[in-house]
Amino acid sequence: ARFAATAADLRKLSGRTAKVARLAGYFRSLPTNEAALAARFFTARPLARADERTLQVGWSLIRRAVLEVAGATPDDFRRAYLRFGDSGETAEALLGGKVEPRPLGLRAVGELFDRLARAAGPTAKLALLEGCFRTLSPDRTKYVIKILTGDLRIGLREGLVEEAIAASAGVPAETVRDAVMINGDLGEVLAATRAGTLGSLEAALYQPIGFMLASPEPDARAIIARLGTPVWIEEKYDGIRCLLHAAPGRAELFSRDLRRISDQFPELVAAARQLGVTAIIDGELLAWREGRALPFAELQRRLGRKGDDLFLGAESPVSLSCYDLLRGGDESLLRLPLAGRRARLEALLAERADRQPIPALQLAPV
């Protein structure tokens, strides 16, 4: 109930400062385990980012559950949706006066999402949804559905949640942002903030982390003033940003939106396993043939397709242009200066080239 009330307040507030203050106050009022869940839910994420499971609860399944509990027809739903234009608001309207609400805490909602992820088949998932909707008041069901569909629509970006976590614990926002980039899960970062252990968070293998992004400067003079000398210049690639998590027995690729895309590029995953070491490499995935990058249109033929087409790799071969090493062996390198990380990356790929070159992994030139 308090989560729903906080979300409603945040939707009405217009200023960034006011939103952060309201959310920070809510976090402070909760025990750590519930505050961690609330932080995750406020980014419309039902499961931890490191959790590779999917709920497989689509829009049609949610609609069926709402109609069953409300005793409504598809036409009723259609008319309500045309009025509100939002799935959660539509469910709230249709369920009004049709349920017998009981109190439900954040941990119970978290357990519901876990059961949905574990449930096999739509029938079992539908029963779980109906059970929740029958015992939750419509204004709270609305936010459960909004989390399930990945969009709260209350004017709250992840950056504001990070600021609220920092404000609730009295630590710099930049410290929390760095921890989220390294760890990737707001709930774990909130718990570490309260425990005073943010500095111990490290990049974990097979857990996608936030990408370091560029920031603009108006001209070369401003760049030199900001960075000092020497500087180096890198290529701007016509591919997709990609993180490679590799170990001798397993390798995974993650895209910029932190989705696992390993199945689309099996030959690259197989090549990465040949590294023979544990590493997290940042790079650009490119269409690649005969030692040079190809236009993005060539790579686009591979996107969204499974790698079970035996001819696809030959028609549109790919390579990872590697330009940063974020983890080497058991050591996180994120707090090492870029020059040091680059030196470690060069040594890693040079060592492999001395033994057995891996054409699918290219060292990005500077």
Side-chain angles (χ1 to χ4, degrees):
R2 293 181 57 220
F3 179 95
T6 303
D9 288 347
L10 291 169
R11 185 177 184 178
K12 297 172 188 174
L13 294 171
S14 57
R16 182 188 192 95
T17 302
K19 285 179 182 287
V20 169
R22 176 69 177 90
L23 189 53
Y26 173 60
F27 287 153
R28 279 193 293 266
S29 73
L30 296 172
T32 299
N33 57 355
E34 293 187 9
L37 285 172
R40 186 183 302 151
F41 295 164
F42 268 120
T43 58
R45 192 181 296 276
L47 300 175
R49 183 173 282 173
D51 194 331
E52 294 186 4
R53 298 177 301 170
T54 58
L55 298 188
Q56 294 184 311
V57 174
W59 171 233
S60 62
L61 201 64
I62 294 172
R63 184 180 65 175
R64 283 175 60 191
V66 170
L67 293 179
E68 182 65 30
V69 174
T73 67
D75 283 341
D76 295 330
F77 193 98
R78 194 175 303 110
R79 284 192 293 270
Y81 191 83
L82 286 173
R83 177 184 174 191
F84 295 104
D86 177 88
S87 54
E89 308 276 349
T90 299
E92 181 183 23
L94 291 175
L95 293 170
K98 304 292 180 65
V99 298
E100 298 178 4
R102 298 197 299 265
L104 192 71
L106 288 172
R107 279 179 289 184
V109 176
E111 289 166 3
L112 167 68
F113 295 150
D114 178 68
R115 290 199 300 272
L116 284 169
R118 287 189 282 111
T123 302
K125 294 179 189 291
L126 181 64
L128 287 170
L129 289 176
E130 289 181 13
C132 174
F133 297 169
R134 289 185 195 281
T135 58
L136 199 60
S137 65
D139 62 320
R140 299 164 204 174
T141 294
K142 169 174 65 178
Y143 287 105
V144 170
I145 291 175
K146 284 173 177 284
I147 295 169
L148 286 170
T149 56
D151 190 1
L152 289 184
R153 295 192 181 187
I154 57 174
L156 192 67
R157 292 178 285 107
E158 186 164 319
L160 291 181
V161 181
E162 293 169 1
E163 289 185 37
I165 291 172
S168 70
V171 302
E174 193 63 35
T175 305
V176 171
R177 276 195 287 269
D178 287 348
V180 172
M181 183 184 71
I182 292 170
N183 175 269
D185 185 78
L186 282 168
E188 290 186 24
V189 169
L190 184 145
T193 302
R194 291 190 174 185
T197 57
L198 278 179
S200 66
L201 294 178
E202 292 187 348
L205 203 60
Y206 312 126
Q207 179 172 319
I209 62 176
F211 283 79
M212 297 183 198
L213 304 178
S215 56
E217 292 290 350
D219 53 33
R221 186 183 304 277
I223 292 172
I224 298 297
R226 176 174 171 177
L227 297 179
T229 56
V231 300
W232 70 60
I233 297 171
E234 300 179 73
E235 302 284 352
K236 171 65 176 74
Y237 295 104
D238 195 19
I240 60 172
R241 189 79 177 271
C242 188
L243 277 180
L244 168 65
H245 290 233
R250 179 185 173 193
E252 301 287 359
L253 296 167
F254 296 96
S255 62
R256 182 167 172 164
D257 60 1
L258 309 184
R259 289 186 303 109
R260 193 176 72 88
I261 56 172
S262 312
D263 294 343
Q264 296 180 45
F265 304 99
E267 73 275 35
L268 189 54
V269 169
R273 288 199 294 266
Q274 298 175 31
L275 278 172
V277 297
T278 298
I280 299 178
I281 295 174
D282 192 359
E284 189 90 357
L285 201 155
L286 303 163
W288 189 271
R289 183 181 288 114
E290 297 177 358
R292 67 184 185 90
L294 303 176
F296 181 75
E298 291 290 326
L299 178 62
Q300 205 163 22
R301 298 167 61 188
R302 299 282 303 266
L303 301 182
R305 295 176 62 178
K306 297 291 185 183
D308 52 6
D309 185 337
L310 297 177
F311 301 101
L312 195 56
E315 293 174 6
S316 303
V318 295
S319 177
L320 184 68
S321 193
C322 308
Y323 47 73
D324 204 353
L325 183 66
L326 308 183
R327 186 181 185 91
D330 294 330
E331 182 184 2
S332 173
L333 306 179
L334 282 167
R335 294 179 177 87
L336 190 69
L338 174 60
R341 300 199 305 270
R342 171 74 185 198
R344 295 277 294 267
L345 176 64
E346 290 175 354
L348 172 64
L349 295 181
E351 180 183 1
R352 285 302 318 168
D354 289 343
R355 286 184 281 166
Q356 180 182 358
I358 304 176
L361 301 179
Q362 305 287 332
L363 179 65
V366 298

